[in-house]
Amino acid sequence: MLDLLKTFSWQELKHHPWRNAAAVVAVMLGVALAFSVHLINASALDEFSQAARSVGGQPDLELRGVQGQFDEALFARVAKLPQVARASPVLEVGTYAVTPEGKRSLKVVGVDALVVAFVAPDLMPLPTRRSAQGANDRFVLFAPGQVFLNPAAQALAGSGLQLQSGLELLPVTVAGTVRASGRALAVMDIGAAQELFGKQGQLSRIDLALKTGVNRDDFVRSLQDAPDWPANLTLTVPGDAQSQINNLSRAYRVNLTVLAFIALFTGAFLVFSVLSLSVAKRAQQFALLGVLGLSGRKRLSLVLWESLFLGLLGSAAGIALGTALAALALNVLGGDLGGGFFAGSAPKLQFSGWAALLYGAMGVAAALAGGWWPARAAQALPPAQTLKGLGGAPVNPHNHWLSLMLILLGAALSQAPAVWGIPVAAYLSVALLLVGGITALPWLIGLLLDRIAPLVARQTLPLLAVARARHQRETAAVAVSGVVASLSLAVALTVMVASFRESVTQWLDQVLPADLYVRSSPNLGSSDTVYFSPEYVQAAAALNGVKQLQAQRVVSLLLKPSLPPVALIARELSDPAKNLPLVGEPLPVPAGQIGIYVSEAVVDLHGAVPGQPFALLGRTFNALAQAGEAAKASYFVAGVWRDYARQSGAIAIDRSIFERLTGDQRANDLALWLSNPDDAPQLQQALRALAEQLGSGAGDLMEFGTPSQIRSTSLRIFDRSFAVTYWLQAVAIAIGLFGVAASFSAQVLARRKEFGLLAHLGLTRRQILTVVAFEGAAWTLLGALAGLVLGLVVSSVLVHVVNPQSFHWTMDLMLPWLKLLGLCLAVVAAGTLTAWLAAQAAAGQDAVLAVKEDW
């Protein structure tokens, strides 16, 4: 019997390839999107992990400075500790490499070549220069101005390589290679690197290898408990860089995956629609099989075998397509995916058979879920009545109290906190709201149609449509469920993207008040190497046409070893409510304390509390002092501000206070107010000429932008990043409308005798089609209203819960009513047209003849 069911199912699939192809494509797209996102993220993380191990080696501990550099005098102290077997000093410098072909971000690592081979062998320089005897010249390792490039930086090899420091370009010579993987990297002798970049006596980290038998935790505890241990140093285990990127990008990766699963979710509805149509067309075949002895359970198994075939075909094709998409994305876009976490990396595809099986199983499960309801309908068919064409499977009414409980539970879960930085409860809340709203459709449809019926009581054709819809509310709910699901998701995504875009636009308007902006480096990691000197800032302020100039200093500060550094921004804060996009009003700063303003990410990730001192900053601020120690101070959180540019967090402090505490008068960004804003191009040339005069050829390396240019570029990047959501909306709505078409096709096939009777009673074919079109309009109108309301509820969860818990920033809810109205009208119009076209085949002469079948 099992073989018979498989054969029967296969024959049905084979003889209706185009109808079933739509379901296969829906499952394929869902699996392909989800699996490709998984492969890209897994490959990027694996590449980052390998690069971190390659650059960091495998020491037992890493001693790092919270701000990037610390006094190398500590090296002698640590290296002499009895528990330490070997210590390797490292200086890391973020800068830009300039060649005749252009400018590229580059990380320079200074190492001790006599020690690094034992701790991080991939950083060991391999000279290519040969001596007179023909052997590699090993002394080139210690020569000044010699760099060794990793594979990612080999394109820089050649004549004319220069490294930027401040506004100067420093010539260097490529003397060899290193095996380290990852982003573009140059290795130098540590003494040569300190001399080249003016960082004599400074280190970034010390890699420690402990002696055999030394307990690492006890060793760390003994150092940190020492009374003279510097507060601006952290001891971490290798791999913290990987854990940082894992922690920060986890929510981003999960959100991408959930977004990809939308196609799989809507694909289940398409499988449901296809199989519903198939069951309706074969109702008399199922009835005949039932009369011949095939039980209802066997009929259920038959339809489930069909959905299993569809799921297997779609999943297999989805795995293949997802692999191809991931390989293409990695080759063309790298591992970035628009999030900025893996920018600059070009990882290789890391295919996982277990992941392929998992995502394939998800596709099969979605197909089986979509086929369950039609299978139950086939099981419940009354054989005798169906053979006579007197009705289909009975529909069991649903209890709307269950739907209400699901909605209330979803609302309650939306208030739950994130789990490991992932809004798990919020995702469950969205799922429960969708399921609860869709299962409540019969009650909602009956409620609304009961109100509409009196309005059309004197109009025959609308009355027929509304009366049938009222008495077939369960069937109507099934028909429009796909529309409700897809439209609610489309509305939610539309509102979320519009809210985000409007919030970013308002944020840009507030943070860009000047006429011209000049930036030394967009990279936080190179802010200590690429900067404007105090002399340049003073000279720029004195240029003709400059009415006002405000300088901004941005430095990297490591508050927690397990999290990426935050950006400490020293800028003009005479009026914080005007200078920063604050959330709420600024708080008065108590006497004797220094007011700071933290971004929302610092509140969530580092525990800053408005109106309270921020002790974590006080313990690490000494690292910023240019000479000696920073003045002792207590830092008071006077306000929270929105920052859409730095997900890892930012802290703003008044620049005059920053300079007084640290002595650091350098700047990374300049904001200029001009006497005539139209003179911005001429002033850019003057600023470049000034850089050439005070520096060494670095005038062309500065980045300029007017507020309109920066706003336009930012919004263009935003729209490109969210373009996939518009495509997903279109796919979801198309699937929902196909579901309506399939449902109406199934309905009109089962109603051929009803149409024939109406024709005998005097209704023309056009009038019959009009009745069906009215039904389609009524059903899709109700579906559109339900989808709109449900989408607005889901969008509220996305805007106010998912985004803050995932990315640690808030936004205002914006409702683009014109777009939403257009979506709803398009769905209603398409649903009405779909119903009209579906009724064409069932309202002809064969419908009249169908009435005679029982005579």
Side-chain angles (χ1 to χ4, degrees):
M1 180 62 72
L2 181 61
D3 292 337
L4 177 62
L5 293 178
K6 292 180 181 178
T7 303
F8 192 85
S9 299
W10 177 249
Q11 291 299 320
E12 165 63 19
L13 296 174
K14 187 171 68 173
H15 286 92
H16 298 90
W18 295 109
R19 185 179 68 203
N20 296 303
V24 172
V25 169
V27 176
M28 179 187 69
L29 288 177
V31 173
L33 285 174
F35 187 56
S36 62
V37 168
H38 167 80
L39 286 180
I40 293 170
N41 285 322
S43 301
L45 283 172
D46 183 75
E47 176 74 11
F48 185 87
S49 176
Q50 292 182 12
R53 290 194 299 268
S54 178
V55 174
Q58 294 298 327
D60 296 312
L61 286 172
E62 293 178 353
L63 191 154
R64 289 182 175 271
V66 298
Q67 197 269 330
Q69 280 89 41
F70 56 90
D71 193 341
E72 70 174 359
L74 187 68
F75 174 76
R77 171 185 169 184
V78 173
K80 293 178 181 178
L81 292 174
Q83 300 95 329
V84 177
R86 186 176 288 110
S88 175
V90 179
L91 175 66
E92 297 177 341
V93 177
T95 184
Y96 287 89
V98 182
T99 66
E101 289 75 28
K103 172 182 175 181
R104 182 176 179 182
S105 177
L106 182 71
K107 183 178 183 180
V108 178
V109 180
V111 299
D112 184 350
L114 301 178
V115 182
V116 71
F118 300 98
V119 180
D122 286 346
L123 289 180
M124 181 64 193
L126 303 174
T128 55
R129 183 186 303 174
R130 295 185 176 274
S131 62
Q133 290 76 23
N136 287 339
D137 186 0
R138 298 182 179 179
F139 292 103
V140 74
L141 302 178
F142 311 101
Q146 309 296 309
V147 297
F148 301 82
L149 305 179
N150 74 334
Q154 285 301 314
L156 302 175
S159 60
L161 177 60
Q162 297 174 302
L163 304 182
Q164 185 176 358
S165 177
L167 290 178
E168 295 186 30
L169 294 178
L170 311 174
V172 294
T173 302
V174 179
T177 62
V178 292
R179 294 193 300 267
S181 58
R183 302 182 186 180
L185 179 77
V187 174
M188 300 182 66
D189 174 70
I190 189 168
Q194 289 174 329
E195 180 181 357
L196 184 69
F197 291 100
K199 296 185 178 296
Q200 291 86 350
Q202 297 183 41
L203 298 177
S204 299
R205 77 171 195 258
I206 301 175
D207 294 336
L208 302 177
L210 303 181
K211 292 181 178 179
T212 304
V214 175
N215 184 280
R216 183 171 59 187
D217 295 335
D218 292 341
F219 175 70
V220 171
R221 196 177 302 111
S222 65
L223 285 182
Q224 293 177 340
D225 292 342
D228 57 344
W229 181 254
N232 61 342
L233 296 177
T234 62
L235 274 168
T236 60
V237 297
D240 273 346
Q242 181 185 353
S243 66
Q244 289 176 5
I245 201 70
N246 269 326
N247 293 335
L248 187 61
S249 66
R250 184 190 296 119
Y252 172 75
R253 292 180 280 119
V254 170
N255 275 277
L256 277 180
T257 303
V258 171
L259 192 64
F261 276 132
I262 289 178
L264 196 56
F265 176 77
T266 51
F269 278 98
L270 188 51
V271 173
F272 161 76
S273 300
V274 167
L275 290 179
S276 295
L277 176 59
S278 176
V279 169
K281 284 190 173 183
R282 294 182 294 155
Q284 292 188 339
Q285 296 179 25
F286 283 118
L288 179 60
L289 291 174
V291 171
L292 295 177
L294 191 67
S295 66
R297 181 178 295 274
K298 294 292 180 26
R299 297 197 297 272
L300 180 141
S301 299
L302 192 151
V303 178
L304 288 181
W305 274 112
E306 294 178 11
S307 62
L308 177 63
F309 284 139
L310 294 175
L312 288 173
L313 289 174
S315 296
I319 293 298
L321 179 60
T323 304
L325 289 175
L328 178 64
L330 290 173
N331 289 331
V332 176
L333 304 175
D336 188 20
L337 285 180
F341 302 104
F342 311 107
S345 64
K348 296 180 180 179
L349 180 68
Q350 301 292 330
F351 183 85
S352 170
W354 289 109
L357 287 176
L358 175 62
Y359 282 87
M362 290 181 183
V364 172
L368 288 173
W372 175 253
W373 203 335
R376 290 293 303 273
Q379 180 185 19
L381 280 174
Q385 293 182 1
T386 305
L387 277 177
K388 293 183 178 182
L390 297 179
V395 180
N396 297 321
H398 294 278
N399 190 339
H400 66 273
W401 290 108
L402 176 61
S403 304
L404 183 60
M405 292 299 297
L406 290 174
I407 294 174
L408 292 177
L409 181 58
L413 282 176
S414 68
Q415 305 302 313
V419 180
W420 296 306
I422 301 175
V424 177
Y427 293 137
L428 291 176
S429 170
V430 170
L432 290 175
L433 290 172
L434 288 173
V435 173
I438 291 172
T439 56
L441 283 176
W443 170 77
L444 176 64
I445 289 175
L447 183 67
L448 293 178
L449 288 179
D450 288 343
R451 301 294 184 274
I452 296 175
L455 303 178
V456 295
R458 297 182 179 275
Q459 301 177 20
T460 304
L461 297 182
L463 176 61
L464 285 173
V466 171
R468 189 179 189 283
R470 289 177 65 192
H471 291 91
Q472 297 290 329
R473 62 187 65 180
E474 297 287 341
T475 304
V478 172
V480 302
S481 59
V483 169
V484 174
S486 57
L487 183 60
S488 61
L489 290 171
V491 167
L493 290 175
T494 300
V495 173
M496 185 197 70
V497 174
S499 300
F500 198 2
R501 195 180 195 279
E502 182 63 24
S503 297
V504 169
T505 302
Q506 294 178 0
W507 176 75
L508 288 170
D509 291 339
Q510 187 165 1
V511 300
L512 297 174
D515 300 315
L516 180 65
Y517 291 88
V518 190
R519 184 168 59 177
S520 63
S521 167
N523 188 355
L524 180 62
S526 60
S527 62
D528 202 45
T529 307
V530 182
Y531 55 83
F532 298 116
S533 65
E535 295 78 16
Y536 181 86
V537 175
Q538 294 176 3
L543 287 175
N544 186 32
V546 177
K547 185 167 57 176
Q548 180 185 357
L549 183 147
Q550 288 184 1
Q552 178 175 284
R553 175 73 170 133
V554 183
V555 296
S556 173
L557 200 61
L558 184 64
L559 297 182
K560 289 183 180 179
S562 60
L563 294 173
V566 302
L568 183 65
I569 304 173
R571 56 172 299 175
E572 171 66 32
L573 290 178
S574 57
D575 185 359
K578 181 180 179 181
N579 301 135
L580 292 173
L582 293 178
V583 180
E585 296 296 324
L587 302 174
V589 180
Q593 299 193 51
I594 294 175
I596 60 171
Y597 301 86
V598 301
S599 70
E600 295 168 311
V602 177
V603 175
D604 291 344
L605 298 175
H606 298 280
V609 179
Q612 299 290 331
F614 191 36
L616 194 59
L617 179 62
R619 290 198 298 268
T620 58
F621 206 86
N622 283 342
L624 301 173
Q626 292 291 287
E629 291 191 355
K632 300 294 182 182
S634 175
Y635 301 93
F636 178 82
V637 180
V640 179
W641 57 291
R642 288 178 177 173
D643 182 17
Y644 296 122
R646 306 168 187 88
Q647 188 185 333
S648 57
I651 301 174
I653 187 173
D654 189 79
R655 189 163 186 261
S656 61
I657 297 176
F658 175 84
E659 291 180 357
R660 174 169 56 84
L661 293 174
T662 66
D664 187 355
Q665 297 182 344
R666 296 173 294 176
N668 301 102
D669 303 287
L670 305 178
L672 298 94
W673 284 260
L674 310 182
S675 301
N676 183 3
D678 295 334
D679 294 337
Q682 293 81 357
L683 193 59
Q684 291 181 23
Q685 296 300 322
L687 289 169
R688 287 194 177 97
L690 182 61
E692 297 286 345
Q693 178 183 347
L694 298 179
S696 178
D700 292 333
L701 302 181
M702 297 183 295
E703 297 186 8
F704 296 89
T706 62
S708 59
Q709 291 172 342
I710 298 174
R711 185 183 297 105
S712 176
T713 301
S714 301
L715 294 180
R716 185 167 61 251
I717 294 173
F718 179 93
D719 292 335
R720 186 170 65 245
S721 301
F722 283 92
V724 66
T725 62
Y726 303 122
W727 183 83
L728 285 173
Q729 291 176 36
V731 170
I733 292 177
I735 290 174
L737 291 176
F738 187 90
V740 171
S743 297
F744 269 101
S745 297
Q747 288 296 312
V748 297
L749 284 172
R751 296 166 59 191
R752 289 170 63 246
K753 291 184 175 61
E754 175 188 334
F755 293 147
L757 179 60
L758 292 175
H760 277 289
L761 293 177
L763 268 69
T764 65
R765 184 172 184 271
R766 178 178 294 275
Q767 288 174 323
I768 294 174
L769 293 177
T770 303
V771 170
V772 178
F774 275 132
E775 289 182 26
W779 287 14
T780 50
L781 176 60
L782 295 174
L785 291 175
L788 177 62
V789 174
L790 192 55
L792 293 177
V793 174
V794 172
S795 68
S796 179
V797 177
L798 294 179
V799 170
H800 295 305
V801 182
V802 171
N803 269 286
Q805 290 186 0
S806 297
F807 305 110
H808 312 292
W809 53 51
T810 61
M811 63 184 77
D812 297 324
L813 184 67
M814 303 290 178
L815 299 179
W817 287 114
L818 288 179
K819 287 185 178 180
L820 298 180
L821 181 61
L823 273 175
C824 294
L825 291 178
V827 167
V828 173
T832 304
L833 178 62
T834 298
W836 174 281
L837 295 176
Q840 291 271 359
Q845 183 65 28
D846 58 339
V848 179
L849 297 176
V851 181
K852 300 180 179 179
E853 293 176 359
D854 294 331
W855 291 2

